[in-house]
């Protein structure tokens, strides 16, 4: 018998809140989803943005950390639960080929026990999957600075 891993309602709501904040900041999130890391026995939130390719993950994450310190993440979520990746990440590229990816903003699609190339995903909770999105580093940087100054 396969154990079904389901995301709890608080974590699912937190994922929506994080994506909303990312959108307000102009992060340009092509994708947002929780993946269950079976080795670590925990959920990990992934934001996929072309800004990682343009500026690097450290540049993006450093700004997000400052925002999280001011705005506060939802209860039970820490910055260590959040990963920023570029759209070239092979797991994201494989996820774009999932049948449910036809609806790119289906907030809350749950997926379980599926293979993506050489990766096995025990469980996922997907908020957004888009093949491309407009993202501007200077816009994101300005929005972050304005939020921090407020």
């Amino acid at each position: 018998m396969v154990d079904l891993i389901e995301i709890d309602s608080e974590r699912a709501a937190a994922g929506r809140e994080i994506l909303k904040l990312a959108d307000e900041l102009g992060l340009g999130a092509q994708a947002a989803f929780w993946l269950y890391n079976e080795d670590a026995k925990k959920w990990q939130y992934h934001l996929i943005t072309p800004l990682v390719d343009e500026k690097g993950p450290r540049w993006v994450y450093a700004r997000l950390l400052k925002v999280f310190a001011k705005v506060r993440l939802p209860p039970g979520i820490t910055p260590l639960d959040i990963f920023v990746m570029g759209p070239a990440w092979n797991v994201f590229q494989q996820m774009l080929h999932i049948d449910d990816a036809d609806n790119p903003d289906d907030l809350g699609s749950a997926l379980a026990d599926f293979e993506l190339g050489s990766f096995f995903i025990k469980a996922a909770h997907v908020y957004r999957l888009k093949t491309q999105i407009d993202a501007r580093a200077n816009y994101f940087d300005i929005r972050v600075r304005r939020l921090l100054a407020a």
Side-chain angles (χ1 to χ4, degrees):
M1 184 168 134
V2 176
D3 292 334
L4 182 62
I5 307 284
E6 290 188 25
I7 195 163
D8 60 271
S9 60
E10 292 84 13
R11 188 169 302 277
R16 282 188 291 278
E17 286 181 45
I18 295 166
L19 178 57
K20 181 179 178 217
L21 176 61
D23 286 344
E24 290 169 357
L25 293 170
L27 178 69
Q30 274 182 256
F33 48 84
W34 288 102
L35 291 181
Y36 186 76
N37 181 328
E38 196 164 20
D39 293 334
K41 303 287 187 230
K42 64 184 273 184
W43 288 93
Q44 298 173 329
Y45 191 78
H46 295 268
L47 286 166
I48 309 301
T49 175
L51 296 182
V52 168
D53 292 344
E54 182 182 343
K55 292 290 195 173
R58 183 175 291 168
W59 186 90
V60 174
Y61 200 70
R63 280 149 185 79
L64 287 176
L65 283 176
K66 290 176 185 176
V67 168
F68 297 153
K70 177 151 187 161
V71 175
R72 300 281 181 228
L73 286 167
I77 309 300
T78 73
L80 296 176
D81 296 325
I82 300 171
F83 296 80
V84 293
M85 310 292 280
W89 184 40
N90 54 354
V91 171
F92 167 66
Q93 287 298 315
Q94 293 291 321
M95 287 182 81
L96 288 174
H97 300 290
I98 296 171
D99 290 338
D100 291 346
D102 292 337
N103 188 356
D105 277 319
D106 183 13
L107 296 177
S109 294
L111 304 168
D113 295 327
F114 61 100
E115 290 185 34
L116 296 174
S118 62
F119 292 95
F120 176 76
I121 305 296
K122 182 70 176 168
H125 194 81
V126 180
Y127 301 94
R128 176 182 295 157
L129 284 176
K130 290 188 175 188
T131 55
Q132 60 184 10
I133 198 163
D134 186 35
R136 296 186 182 106
N138 60 342
Y139 181 74
F140 173 64
D141 193 43
I142 289 168
R143 296 297 298 258
V144 168
R145 282 192 264 144
R146 284 184 185 159
L147 177 74
L148 295 176

